[in-house]
Amino acid sequence: MSESATQAEHRTVLLRGGEVHSPADPFATAMVVERGHVAWVGSEGAADAFASGVDEVVDLDGALVTPAFVDAHVHTTATGLALTGLDLSTAASLVEAAERIREYAAARPADRILIGHGWDASRWPEQRPLGRDELDRLTGGRPLYLTRIDVHSALVTTAMLDLVPAVRGMGGFRDGEPLTGDAHHAVRAAAYSAVSPEQRTEAQRAALRHAASLGIGTVHECGGPDISSEDDFTALLKTAAEGPGPRVVGYWADTDVERARALGAAGAAGDLFADGSLGSHTACLHEPYADAPHTGAAHLDAAAVAAHVTACTEAGLQAGFHAIGDRAIGNVVEGVRAAADALGLARIRAARHRVEHAEMLTPETVAAFAEFGLTASVQPAFDAAWGGDTGMYAQRLGVERARTLNPYAALLRAGVPLAFGSDSPVTPVDPWGTVRAAAFHRTPEHRISVRAAFTAHTRGGWRAVGRDDAGTLVPGAPADYAVWRTGELVVQAPDDRVARWSTDPRSGTPGLPDLTPGNPLPECLRTVVFGQTVYVRPGE
């Protein structure tokens, strides 16, 4: 939504009779919104002075008002296609996945190409993906493109391969195994090119509606030539600008910095691949996988990273990289250091470059992130899905290495800026679930407070795009907020290492919902972006 274009439509609104999460007043129960910004927060008694001078008074009836969430890593069209298409993320076995594929193919006889997402053989009792012959039978020999949960490998039918004849000679093609690397990218391009502009717009709108229904006011789209298409990227930015809905900040993962700028991207960043993923055995490691005799593959070396960071910094754009394995993260750090040596540390820090995922960190790379002002754009739901001593991370790396992953507490202690996201459709858009996953990390020493996690998923997303004036409900900030039905508010710390004063009501720290596992998550009643309502729960 264009902020300037909608200013004239804004009405002055008083919200009262609830709980307003604001550092300006930890006991606030009311808020005034005017011209798309927060104009005032305060007590119920003081709200009486505003009641006669506003266009609308909203009785919150005890509801909680918070800043709207920012999902700092989304693949919007793919998310929408998963919402409206074949989703295998909840399939509990190979047999169940096969039946869903068969039913989906039978229900969509007119589709040129069948597209699905979300299989994860590491969760299935069979411990193997479906074979190509099986998929050919299930689809009646039609083209099918089916991404693994991490989107770094895919299953395809023979008919899908035949649409890209050169694929059998590309890197990442091994007959009988899921596609990775260049082979996967080529088939993905062919599959998505078969999606009509109308289907694409439908998917994008579905994804943005879904995000709004969960209290998300902004998403960071992570596109790129190996992920989507230029048409997909520009169409999404246009759809979002036409609103109403969550605003979209676009990142285009391309070493062609001027091309990224021309497409309207905030940075030549996002999923610019330094490596792949752990689930697909393509993340780049220093030591071999525990369950495979290799170390993955690096897509960018330190010299390439340095060249890109230098070019982006000089162009006034953010650089950013997808880096998961410890060797890949080391290459990124080494390259950023070389750029800092050339341009000066101050310029690198001011540019707020990003690293997406940043899972296999060491104390040395954590310190380097802090030194260079790199934002760690991370996904706590990854730990909830694959962490722990028996999860996929432990299968791939062994328990000892798996326990080092996603060290959020160490990042915060070092002063590294955190921005939380979902990487949807890899893991679902689920902001409160994401906050819970960080606060109740499967490895206890990596846990952070609910307040710190909430900040990373609100203000952290704004800071990651260079905005320090947003993400909190204080006078002058953009009026991006969500209204929630929830239980008692508390100040929740991960354990006794957090100073006890901070959890005492007398500290004046505003409370948040109790996210203890097993408790219901807050329910979104309304989402507002720059003063414009973009979602209202049915019946409200």
Side-chain angles (χ1 to χ4, degrees):
M1 183 189 307
S2 169
E3 297 183 358
S4 59
T6 60
Q7 285 191 22
E9 304 169 15
H10 287 300
R11 306 169 74 215
T12 302
V13 179
L14 167 64
L15 300 93
R16 64 185 305 178
E19 303 278 353
V20 179
H21 185 87
S22 172
D25 183 347
F27 306 107
T29 61
M31 179 172 75
V32 173
V33 172
E34 185 175 25
R35 298 183 64 80
H37 291 81
V38 177
W40 172 85
V41 293
S43 66
E44 193 62 29
D48 290 335
F50 295 96
S52 62
V54 299
D55 299 312
E56 181 183 1
V57 177
V58 176
D59 181 2
L60 292 169
D61 191 25
L64 170 67
V65 182
T66 72
F69 285 103
V70 177
D71 192 318
H73 193 119
V74 175
H75 303 287
T76 308
T77 303
T79 296
L81 290 171
L83 287 169
T84 59
L86 174 57
D87 182 5
L88 297 181
S89 62
T90 59
S93 67
L94 181 148
V95 172
E96 182 179 345
E99 183 58 21
R100 290 192 193 184
I101 294 168
R102 186 193 64 75
E103 291 176 353
Y104 186 79
R108 302 182 74 95
D111 286 8
R112 290 172 52 201
I113 291 178
L114 301 167
I115 296 177
H117 168 73
W119 61 272
D120 184 357
S122 71
R123 297 179 181 176
W124 295 346
E126 297 89 351
Q127 289 289 298
R128 69 169 182 87
L130 287 148
R132 194 182 310 145
D133 290 345
E134 293 171 299
L135 294 172
D136 288 345
R137 289 193 296 272
L138 291 167
T139 60
R142 295 165 64 193
L144 168 71
Y145 169 72
L146 194 59
T147 47
R148 190 185 181 278
I149 188 72
D150 58 10
V151 201
H152 282 271
S153 58
L155 301 174
V156 296
T157 55
T158 302
M160 186 73 236
L161 286 178
D162 290 344
L163 294 176
V164 190
V167 71
R168 291 173 172 84
M170 293 181 178
F173 179 86
R174 292 174 295 278
D175 201 24
E177 296 184 26
L179 301 179
T180 62
D182 290 343
H184 177 213
H185 297 159
V187 171
R188 174 163 54 195
Y192 284 144
S193 68
V195 175
S196 70
E198 294 76 18
Q199 287 175 302
R200 181 177 65 207
T201 299
E202 176 193 9
Q204 291 172 349
R205 288 177 175 163
L208 293 176
R209 283 195 304 270
H210 182 62
S213 76
L214 295 168
I216 292 171
T218 302
V219 300
H220 297 177
E221 163 68 13
C222 291
D226 290 333
I227 300 161
S228 52
S229 69
E230 293 183 3
D231 286 346
D232 180 271
F233 186 76
T234 55
L236 173 62
L237 296 182
K238 182 174 184 291
T239 295
E242 293 170 348
R247 63 168 59 74
V248 174
V249 178
Y251 287 98
W252 185 251
D254 196 336
T255 54
D256 185 341
V257 174
E258 290 308 313
R259 187 60 191 154
R261 188 201 299 278
L263 292 173
D271 277 333
L272 185 57
F273 296 121
D275 67 345
S277 75
L278 292 167
S280 291
H281 293 99
T282 52
C284 187
L285 315 180
H286 281 301
E287 301 295 332
Y289 284 88
D291 60 350
H294 61 82
T295 58
H299 301 315
L300 296 171
D301 61 15
V305 170
H308 187 61
V309 171
T310 299
C312 286
T313 304
E314 292 181 330
L317 288 178
Q318 286 179 286
F321 305 90
H322 162 121
I324 287 178
D326 50 2
R327 185 175 174 188
I329 293 172
N331 286 343
V332 168
V333 163
E334 185 181 344
V336 175
R337 188 177 301 281
D341 289 343
L343 299 179
L345 179 60
R347 289 186 69 185
I348 296 298
R349 289 180 60 86
R352 302 196 189 190
H353 301 309
R354 299 170 52 141
V355 181
E356 310 297 319
H357 316 309
E359 293 200 82
M360 290 187 72
L361 291 157
T362 65
E364 292 74 23
T365 51
V366 168
F369 272 45
E371 179 185 0
F372 301 126
L374 298 175
T375 294
S377 171
V378 296
Q379 296 75 40
F382 286 9
D383 175 73
W386 303 306
D389 289 356
T390 60
M392 183 271 287
Y393 290 152
Q395 295 173 28
R396 295 290 184 269
L397 302 172
V399 171
E400 184 176 346
R401 274 192 295 177
R403 287 177 179 167
T404 69
L405 264 60
N406 302 302
Y408 303 138
L411 287 164
L412 280 182
R413 285 195 300 271
V416 175
L418 288 182
F420 282 177
S422 62
D423 198 12
S424 180
V426 175
T427 54
V429 177
D430 178 15
W432 285 114
T434 294
V435 173
R436 172 185 279 171
F440 295 91
H441 197 294
R442 290 180 180 272
T443 304
E445 57 263 37
H446 299 330
R447 293 174 180 170
I448 60 177
S449 70
V450 167
R451 179 173 46 155
F454 179 79
T455 298
H457 217 344
T458 50
R459 194 172 188 183
W462 283 96
R463 286 173 165 170
V465 298
R467 291 279 299 271
D468 293 329
D469 61 337
T472 58
L473 299 180
V474 298
D480 281 32
Y481 62 90
V483 181
W484 307 92
R485 181 180 292 124
T486 188
E488 180 184 4
L489 302 183
V490 298
V491 178
Q492 201 164 19
D495 54 44
D496 286 342
R497 291 174 298 149
V498 175
R500 291 190 181 277
W501 69 264
S502 69
T503 63
D504 189 308
R506 292 171 295 180
S507 70
T509 302
L512 286 165
D514 185 348
L515 300 183
T516 302
N519 285 353
L521 293 174
E523 184 176 56
C524 186
L525 306 179
R526 181 182 297 263
T527 305
V528 174
V529 176
F530 198 61
Q532 302 293 302
T533 299
V534 299
Y535 169 78
V536 177
R537 180 176 171 78
E540 292 297 324

